[in-house]
Amino acid sequence: MPAITATFWVIKVLSTTIGETFADYLTVNVGLGPAMTDAIMFVLLVTALVVQLRTRSYTPWIFWLCVVLVSIFGTQLTDFFTDTLGVPLAVSTAVFSVTLVVVFAIWYRQERTLAIASINTRRREGFYWAAILTTFALGTAAGDFATEALNLGFRNGTLIFGGLILATWIALRLGAGQVLTFWIAYVLTRPLGASLGDLLTQDKDLGGLALGASATSLLFVAAIVVLVVREQLLVNRHGVAEKGAGPRVGRGQDLAWAGAAALAVAVVGFGLSMAQGSQPGTDTQADVAPDAVTTGAPGASTAARQPHPTTKLGNLSKFAVIVADVQAKVSKNDLAGAKTRVKDLEVAWDDAEAGLKPRDATKWHQLDDQIDAVLTALRASNPAQADCASAVTSLMHTLNTFDGV
């Protein structure tokens, strides 16, 4: 296990953001779908954990590869419960909370300690990785539940969860137990990383920096690689730090490297956001007429009207325009073209989830279900025009209805 340093926490937060953005990128942007993405990540995670458990001493690149993969798979686990099985986030949060308590109870009963500094046997490490996977799943469910139920949004979520971690550190300095504060902070870094990822990826009209999932993932992976390579070099040069000890080269250098990495991510992210905004044609809504909404009847002409300014979900016209294109293709029985165009709807809707869902979760879920119905109809092995037309018409009707509510 690594020493618990500032570098440790920076890498941990960056890895949680990767879990939020990279899984979505593979599932939606690449088009692997939830099942294939889950299968690939599960195989990679099992392989990495086998290598980690067979390693005799702390090896940074192996350890952090496992953490990144656990972050991705933990996110997918919660998404599977929520999106595929339809389990409410409140229930998922409760289930994962109980599961984590059970893991800790068995771990403590067997080993009489939960300290990361005491992990020096394979069995203790097994308990550790079981707890880590559960904390990622719990952090995802609890963070999404708080964001949705309390309408926090990703900007407020970043501030609130960051503030809770700061409060946990203050509690540690005031004498709270190291083991307790470590695990509280470990759980809280998951929703913090998710909120930070959403802040970077969401469109500017939703309050984000509009970097997109791919750019954010690459930026954070680059920062993780730099910090992990440095950790590996230090281990090669100085050996593994004693359990419970600080960084080998002193806390000053550790804080400098961790701070520099965090600052670099912030500066590069902001710079890319500004550069993107200054380039014509790079807006994520460039291919969408901003105020166009169709009447919703199959084959009907497009009629432009200004969305109502008090719409809780915001301006839905960019989705309505894509749906209108799909609807026109379906009316002409161009189902192949409609299937291709509906991919744009899937990507745009997924990208905007973190910004739209907290505004009105009930309406978001209604639209989400209808979008899924359109995707299912168009992606059937033998799609029927009537089924596709019905699904698209229902979706367009709902978009027009919500536009003024």
Side-chain angles (χ1 to χ4, degrees), residues 245-312:
R248 276 292 192 186
V249 292
R251 297 190 183 277
Q253 288 192 35
D254 171 58
L255 287 170
W257 274 89
L263 181 61
V265 168
V267 170
V268 173
F270 183 75
L272 290 175
S273 175
M274 295 297 292
Q276 183 189 59
S278 65
Q279 294 176 5
T282 57
D283 194 343
T284 56
Q285 302 181 47
D287 63 339
V288 177
D291 300 321
V293 182
T294 68
T295 60
S301 61
T302 301
R305 63 185 176 87
Q306 180 68 33
H308 196 284
T310 59
T311 301
K312 283 188 176 181

Side-chain angles (χ1 to χ4, degrees), residues 6-22 64 67-69 71-72 75 136 165 186 188-198 200 213 215-228 257-266:
T7 298
F8 172 91
W9 289 112
V10 169
I11 299 176
K12 173 62 172 61
V13 172
L14 295 176
S15 68
T16 61
T17 304
I18 294 296
E20 181 76 9
T21 60
F22 190 65
W64 287 111
V67 171
V68 170
L69 292 173
S71 173
I72 297 172
T75 300
F136 273 108
I165 291 176
Y186 208 100
L188 289 173
T189 53
R190 177 59 187 84
L192 172 63
S195 298
L196 182 60
D198 291 334
L200 293 172
T216 300
S217 297
L218 289 174
L219 176 60
F220 277 42
V221 166
I224 290 174
V225 168
V226 170
L227 292 177
V228 171
W257 274 89
L263 181 61
V265 168

Side-chain angles (χ1 to χ4, degrees), residues 155-198:
R155 287 169 293 178
N156 290 336
T158 301
L159 295 174
I160 291 172
F161 292 118
L164 289 174
I165 291 176
L166 177 60
T168 303
W169 177 78
I170 293 174
L172 173 65
R173 302 296 294 178
L174 293 177
Q178 290 185 345
V179 174
L180 176 63
T181 52
F182 170 83
W183 286 111
I184 290 175
Y186 208 100
V187 172
L188 289 173
T189 53
R190 177 59 187 84
L192 172 63
S195 298
L196 182 60
D198 291 334

Side-chain angles (χ1 to χ4, degrees), residues 53-402:
L53 290 170
R54 291 175 63 88
T55 303
R56 303 294 296 177
S57 62
Y58 170 57
T59 306
W61 75 268
I62 298 176
F63 175 86
W64 287 111
L65 175 62
C66 289
V67 171
V68 170
L69 292 173
V70 167
S71 173
I72 297 172
F73 189 74
T75 300
Q76 292 174 295
L77 187 62
T78 299
D79 291 344
F80 174 77
F81 274 91
T82 304
D83 300 332
T84 304
L85 300 183
V87 178
L89 285 169
V91 175
S92 298
T93 301
V95 169
F96 288 129
S97 297
V98 172
T99 303
L100 184 60
V101 170
V102 170
V103 171
F104 281 151
I106 297 174
W107 182 358
Y108 187 79
R109 182 174 181 178
Q110 293 290 326
E111 305 295 336
R112 312 309 298 177
T113 179
L114 300 177
I116 187 175
S118 68
I119 298 174
N120 53 9
T121 67
R122 186 168 295 176
R123 186 170 70 174
R124 289 184 176 184
E125 189 174 2
F127 282 124
Y128 171 79
W129 288 112
I132 293 306
L133 178 59
T134 309
T135 61
F136 273 108
L138 172 60
T140 302
D144 289 349
F145 175 65
T147 299
E148 180 176 327
L150 303 178
N151 295 327
L152 295 180
F154 52 85
R155 287 169 293 178
N156 290 336
T158 301
L159 295 174
I160 291 172
F161 292 118
L164 289 174
I165 291 176
L166 177 60
T168 303
W169 177 78
I170 293 174
L172 173 65
R173 302 296 294 178
L174 293 177
Q178 290 185 345
V179 174
L180 176 63
T181 52
F182 170 83
W183 286 111
I184 290 175
Y186 208 100
V187 172
L188 289 173
T189 53
R190 177 59 187 84
L192 172 63
S195 298
L196 182 60
D198 291 334
L199 180 63
L200 293 172
T201 59
Q202 289 297 293
D203 286 345
K204 293 182 179 180
D205 62 336
L206 297 175
L209 296 178
L211 293 186
S214 56
T216 300
S217 297
L218 289 174
L219 176 60
F220 277 42
V221 166
I224 290 174
V225 168
V226 170
L227 292 177
V228 171
V229 167
R230 178 178 179 271
E231 289 288 293
Q232 188 66 64
L233 292 174
L234 290 177
V235 168
N236 294 343
R237 185 179 305 130
H238 303 290
V240 179
E242 295 181 1
K243 294 186 181 298
R248 276 292 192 186
V249 292
R251 297 190 183 277
Q253 288 192 35
D254 171 58
L255 287 170
W257 274 89
L263 181 61
V265 168
V267 170
V268 173
F270 183 75
L272 290 175
S273 175
M274 295 297 292
Q276 183 189 59
S278 65
Q279 294 176 5
T282 57
D283 194 343
T284 56
Q285 302 181 47
D287 63 339
V288 177
D291 300 321
V293 182
T294 68
T295 60
S301 61
T302 301
R305 63 185 176 87
Q306 180 68 33
H308 196 284
T310 59
T311 301
K312 283 188 176 181
L313 286 175
N315 189 338
L316 303 178
S317 59
K318 67 176 181 178
F319 308 110
V321 168
I322 301 176
V323 176
D325 289 347
V326 174
Q327 189 176 53
K329 294 180 185 298
V330 169
S331 68
K332 297 176 183 178
N333 203 25
D334 181 12
L335 300 187
K339 180 180 178 181
T340 300
R341 180 58 169 149
V342 84
K343 175 69 175 179
D344 297 330
L345 176 64
E346 181 184 26
V347 173
W349 184 250
D350 182 76
D351 288 345
E353 176 181 347
L356 295 179
K357 192 174 182 181
R359 296 178 176 181
D360 194 321
T362 300
K363 292 180 178 179
W364 183 91
H365 279 294
Q366 184 177 348
L367 280 172
D368 189 58
D369 290 342
Q370 292 186 346
I371 290 174
D372 285 341
V374 173
L375 294 172
T376 300
L378 285 170
R379 292 172 177 174
S381 55
N382 293 300
Q385 183 185 19
D387 294 339
C388 296
S390 176
V392 175
T393 299
S394 296
L395 174 59
M396 181 58 73
H397 174 73
T398 302
L399 281 169
N400 283 336
T401 302
F402 285 178

